[in-house]
Structures are given as structure tokens and as C-alpha cells.
Amino acid sequence: MSSYPWAAGYVDDGDRPKIVTTRFQYEDSYTLERYHATGGYEGLRAALGRTPAAVHDEVRGATVLGRGGAGFPAGVKWGLMPAEKYPRYLVVNGDESEPGTYKDRLLMERDPHQLVEGCLIAAYAAGLAQVFLYIRGEMPLAHERVATALNDAYAAGYIGKNILGSNFSVDIVLHWGAGAYVVGEETALIESLEGKRGEPRLKPPFFPAAIGLYGQPTIVNNVETLSNLPWLLVNGAQAFTAIGTETSPGTRMVAVSGHVKRPGVYEIVNGTTTFRDVIYGDEFCQGIRDDNELKAFVPGGGSAPWFTPDQLDVPFEGRAAGAAGSMLGSGAIMVMDHTTDIPSAALTLTHFYAAESCGQCTPCREGGTWLERVLQRVVDGLGTPADLDQLLEQSRMALEEAPGVEPVSPHLAARREGVTIDIDEIARAWADWQSVSPERGVVIEGAGGVMVPLNERQRIGKGGLPLGVFDLVDDRVLGHL
């Protein structure tokens, strides 16, 4: 195993293919000298030796999926811009605000020239006039490293007019974010770049590829997505697609935190690596801390529906994760062992999203706050069985009634798990913990088949309904909000 003091959080173990983290082993990986010594800017030279259309076709043929959350192929996204409409812009989403995510920060701190080169290749292939690099304000080292890389690249002739003696000219602007979670959404980021309050735009009509920054066609790509391009242009689409699967080729970075023996950032093979490999594999996290049992894990950042041990064998493949009821998102995996208080964990994330709501839409602005209040009541031991239904109903309203959001019900999380808790099991657990007769009964609540005690005056949570019973509910409902 190799860990580098200068790349805190990154773990380099095993002989699997690596694309974007190959320079992390060098202490001076962020310098132009090291970048040149390790093949830097050769991808740009290869691109300039071909037509923009040929470079675009190479990226499209490699199926470079977006690494920021949606997983949309970069080459396809570039092709959505209307023909003959100029100028066009590239906006780089380096905000990385999703809870549990810290891979892009490492890329910007440890290999900023790789990102700069990726921006230049994208600008050349898609005919973009200017690049805007938007980096989260709480990442001072990333800002410093990227700013230095830009200055060095300008001085070396990689950015500016007639790059490397060609007819290709482009400028790159570095922009500091102010720390708002919502600007991770591409249209909110564009609003922020324009000096406005960071709030999402309505889609349609404001699809960035058609009407983006300053009303012009705009491509918004993630830091890791663009960092793949230098390697791709040097080695070709065939070499890229030879790694991973047909639908999810190449590698991807994941940031693992929580109750594992070896948390950190790993570059894994896309499409074939499973969550079991990452959490329990010897070259990855090596299992749960203190050899505890796994209770749940978040597969793709704080906004992703949670998985349980039954989903450990789901691979890092967008369609597979979607079919299992969640998403790969930003590549942040948060692991919880059996000692985790699931309602408290859910409350932590709910508090974050309630506080970070931009306030533009009523279902999120009001619903998030009410979810937090109800969950806080549950965690404090003051909840009632009716709070479970209220949590589900508030989540449904926030998801189904928010403009531009595809309808989805939180009940689907329970259905995904096939929640069919035996009534006798609930009654026995209730009797064991409260020393009451099983004949006091339970009631079935919600479309997922979740059962709770009939006595509505009984409190749910630490101060009332015992965890032996509550776990049967919270793992399948509260844990998936």
C-alpha cells in the first residue's frame, strides 16, 4: 500500500489501471516541470494535430461519462449545442459541495495542469471561445495550485492566442465560489458566474447547451470528467474503452468515508468494481471498523438514496445503481456500521439540505425545514407513529411538486427493499422490550408495508419506542429519505 503525505486522503494500492491519479506519487506533481516530465500537454499537442471534429469524435467514441453526478456522456453533451451559434463557453464545475465528496479537490491540488489541459482539449474540440473555472471558495490550496498552473501555462504558450503555433486561441478565467451548495447544479452555477444569486434556472428553456452563460451555448463539465481527456487523446478511445465495461468505460474516483478501516479516495475500474469490493477489498477499505456489521451506506453523496447490505454486489455502473434504487452521483460513499443511529444520521443530512436550500422553490424551502423539525422530534424521543407518515408525505411533496424534478416517491425506497415485516416479529420485539402483551397489536402504515405500534401515544425514538422495534422501521424508511 502506498499513501503519500503530500496527497492526504488518497490511497494507492493494487495494480489496477489508473488514469487521473498517476502523478499523485510525486510530491511536486502540481508543478509544470513534473507535468512535462510525465507526458504533460502531449494530449493537447495530439489534439491540435487533428481537426476539432476528429477530437470530438474520439471523446464521443470513448463514452466519457460525466463524473459530477448525472453521468451524461461528455461527447454527447458537446454535440447538443446549436450549430453556428457563437461565442460558446466552457464552465468547469469545481464547486464539489456534495456531502462526503472530496475527490475533485485532490485533483485540483495535486494535478492542476491535467485539468487545464483537459479544458484546452474540450475547448478545441467543441469550438469554445472561453473557459470559466469555478472552484469552491473553501478550497484555498486548490485555488492556489490552479492559479499557479494557469500562470505557468500562459507563460509556456499553452493558453492564450495561437496556442503552440496553431490557429487555436482561448482564455481561461478562474472564479472563486462563495460556498453555496446549490451552485453545484449547473444552471445555478451559471447564475453565480453572472453575478446573480445562485438559483437554478427553469429547464426548459434554459438548457445550458442552448441558453447558458450570458445567453450563449455553454458546456458545463466536472473536474474529473475533463481530467480524463489528456490521457484519452494520448492513448486513444480504444485503450480507454478497454478499461471497465461497454456502458461505463474507464476509471472513476470514489471518496469513501465513515466506518471503514481505511477511508480515503480511490481510483477504481468503472463498471466492474462493486461496493463490496470497495468496502471489504484488501486493496481498498479492508472492511468495517472493529469488524462490526454493515448497517447501511450512501452510494453517491448525501443526496443519493441509501443502500443496505443487500446492495453490496451492485457494480459502479449507472444503470445498475439506478435499477437498485439509487445513483452513483458524485462518487462519495459514506459507510455506517451497526452502531449507527439511523434517525440521527438522517437528521444530519436533512439539516444540511434544509440550511443549504436556495429558497427559490416552496417545496424545498418549506419542506426541508419541516423534515428537519420532525426528524429532530424523533431523535429527541418525542416522536409519534404519525411522524413516519408525515416524513414520507413531506418528502413526496418536495420531490413531486418541485418544478423540473422528475416525480419520485420516498415510498419507493421501502418498495425497493420489499418491506414485508412479519406482524408477529414486530409484536415479539415490542413485548420483549416493553414487557407488554403482543396482543396490544400493531398497525400497518404507508405503502411500503411498514408496521408500527398501535398505541399512538407511545413515543418513537430513544426516549420511547425501543430501538429493537424502531430499527425494523428506520432502516427501511427513515434511512432512505
Side-chain angles (χ1 to χ4, degrees), residues 126-433:
L128 309 176
Q130 195 165 3
V131 177
F132 295 84
L133 246 169
Y134 190 108
I135 301 178
R136 190 167 180 80
E138 294 90 336
M139 301 178 182
L141 182 57
H143 277 281
E144 178 184 333
R145 294 278 170 81
V146 172
T148 301
L150 289 174
N151 289 335
D152 291 344
Y154 265 106
Y158 294 120
I159 312 174
K161 293 185 179 297
N162 304 120
I163 295 173
L164 297 179
S166 69
N167 293 325
F168 172 54
S169 301
V170 71
D171 283 309
I172 299 180
V173 176
L174 178 61
H175 185 90
W176 288 54
Y181 168 77
V182 72
V183 300
E185 196 278 331
E186 59 183 6
T187 61
L189 188 151
I190 290 173
E191 286 281 290
S192 178
L193 270 175
E194 292 183 355
K196 304 171 187 174
R197 180 185 177 94
E199 294 180 340
R201 296 173 174 178
L202 290 176
K203 295 187 288 187
F206 295 104
F207 292 105
I211 308 173
L213 186 63
Y214 307 128
Q216 294 299 121
T218 303
I219 297 300
V220 183
N221 279 147
N222 166 261
V223 167
E224 185 187 353
T225 306
L226 294 167
S227 294
N228 278 272
L229 300 185
W231 190 96
L232 171 60
L233 265 293
V234 170
N235 296 277
Q238 186 173 357
F240 189 86
T241 55
I243 304 171
T245 64
E246 181 179 356
T247 56
S248 296
T251 65
R252 71 172 295 155
M253 296 177 72
V254 295
V256 189
S257 59
H259 301 157
V260 291
K261 295 179 179 178
R262 193 168 65 172
V265 172
Y266 299 85
E267 185 173 3
I268 67 171
V269 175
N270 215 8
T272 59
T273 307
T274 66
F275 288 100
R276 185 184 301 277
D277 295 332
V278 171
I279 295 174
Y280 289 98
D282 289 338
E283 61 182 300
F284 297 111
C285 296
Q286 302 178 342
I288 308 299
R289 67 174 184 180
D290 301 325
D291 294 321
N292 288 342
E293 295 181 8
L294 174 66
K295 190 171 188 178
F297 61 97
V298 183
S303 58
W306 298 8
F307 276 163
T308 59
D310 292 343
Q311 279 80 43
L312 275 171
D313 293 314
V314 173
F316 278 83
E317 202 276 332
R319 295 177 184 175
S326 188
M327 60 183 180
L328 298 181
S330 61
I333 305 169
M334 294 180 279
V335 181
M336 293 166 275
D337 67 14
H338 73 273
T339 67
T340 302
D341 183 336
I342 291 295
S344 293
L347 175 61
T348 298
L349 286 173
T350 303
H351 171 74
F352 172 84
Y353 290 112
E356 288 293 331
S357 172
C358 72
Q360 183 183 33
C361 304
T362 303
C364 174
R365 182 185 66 246
E366 303 298 327
T369 303
W370 277 105
L371 284 172
E372 181 186 9
R373 291 174 180 174
V374 175
L375 269 175
Q376 185 67 65
R377 187 163 67 234
V378 170
V379 170
D380 289 343
L382 303 174
T384 68
D387 287 332
L388 296 177
D389 281 339
Q390 188 171 1
L391 286 168
L392 290 170
E393 178 62 15
Q394 288 172 345
S395 299
R396 182 197 63 76
M397 291 177 63
L399 291 169
E400 292 183 357
E401 297 180 17
V405 177
E406 182 178 352
V408 62
S409 169
H411 287 290
L412 293 177
R415 293 173 186 162
R416 181 194 70 194
E417 293 300 311
V419 176
T420 53
I421 304 174
D422 184 73
I423 191 169
D424 294 328
E425 180 185 358
I426 290 283
R428 283 192 299 271
W430 178 252
D432 290 343
W433 282 89

Side-chain angles (χ1 to χ4, degrees), residues 45-199:
R45 295 180 188 276
L48 294 177
R50 307 166 65 178
T51 65
V55 176
H56 189 169
D57 288 342
E58 189 83 38
V59 175
R60 184 162 35 210
T63 315
V64 181
L65 301 178
R67 302 308 201 254
F72 197 78
V76 175
K77 179 184 282 190
W78 298 355
L80 296 178
M81 293 183 294
E84 305 304 324
K85 186 174 181 181
Y86 297 93
R88 302 171 170 182
Y89 302 117
L90 171 65
V91 171
V92 182
N93 189 344
D95 187 70
E96 195 171 46
S97 52
E98 187 71 20
T101 312
Y102 53 103
K103 61 181 181 63
D104 289 345
R105 175 176 60 81
L106 277 179
L107 281 173
M108 291 184 285
E109 292 176 354
R110 299 310 314 166
D111 204 345
H113 281 282
Q114 180 176 241
L115 171 60
V116 171
E117 185 178 6
C119 293
L120 295 169
I121 292 170
Y124 178 73
L128 309 176
Q130 195 165 3
V131 177
F132 295 84
L133 246 169
Y134 190 108
I135 301 178
R136 190 167 180 80
E138 294 90 336
M139 301 178 182
L141 182 57
H143 277 281
E144 178 184 333
R145 294 278 170 81
V146 172
T148 301
L150 289 174
N151 289 335
D152 291 344
Y154 265 106
Y158 294 120
I159 312 174
K161 293 185 179 297
N162 304 120
I163 295 173
L164 297 179
S166 69
N167 293 325
F168 172 54
S169 301
V170 71
D171 283 309
I172 299 180
V173 176
L174 178 61
H175 185 90
W176 288 54
Y181 168 77
V182 72
V183 300
E185 196 278 331
E186 59 183 6
T187 61
L189 188 151
I190 290 173
E191 286 281 290
S192 178
L193 270 175
E194 292 183 355
K196 304 171 187 174
R197 180 185 177 94
E199 294 180 340

